Amino acid sequence: MRPTSITVSSAASSAWIPLDYKQNPFNIGLGCVVSAEGSLTYKVQHTFDDVFDTSVTPTAFDHSSITGETASTDGNYAFPVRAIRLTVTAYTSGNVTMTVLQGVR
């Protein structure tokens, strides 16, 4: 997987970022950077559902530690999930950018 970045600048969820859940080891690292003028709250979410199957609405689960954040932070996923997204839950100004890296076999 190539490094992927996505930015959210309103109270909304980003598009799902599909991951290679078959890769062993899975190794996902991610960082979320809040802009200097950012006044917002965000979380990272994951799903085990196939985000390419349009007949399914993916069930979103919150990351175990990146939830209710207001400042820049980082984290990881050691075990497979199908996709992740960035969700801003409260917004006044600015934006948050999430960058996702997956290790190579």
Side-chain angles (χ1 to χ4, degrees), residues 1-77:
M1 173 182 166
R2 294 181 184 172
T4 303
S5 293
I6 196 154
T7 300
V8 178
S9 55
S10 65
S13 293
S14 70
W16 287 104
I17 299 171
L19 304 169
D20 182 359
Y21 68 93
K22 294 180 180 180
Q23 182 169 306
N24 185 17
F26 185 63
N27 295 342
I28 295 290
L30 58 98
C32 299
V33 177
V34 176
S35 62
E37 72 281 3
S39 177
L40 51 82
T41 304
Y42 67 94
K43 61 185 172 181
V44 173
Q45 297 180 299
H46 61 274
T47 188
F48 297 97
D49 297 321
D50 181 356
V51 296
F52 295 111
D53 183 348
T54 58
S55 68
V56 174
T57 300
T59 300
F61 297 92
D62 292 347
H63 186 278
S64 60
S65 61
I66 307 175
T67 185
E69 296 293 330
T70 57
S72 299
T73 194
D74 65 344
N76 65 71
Y77 282 96

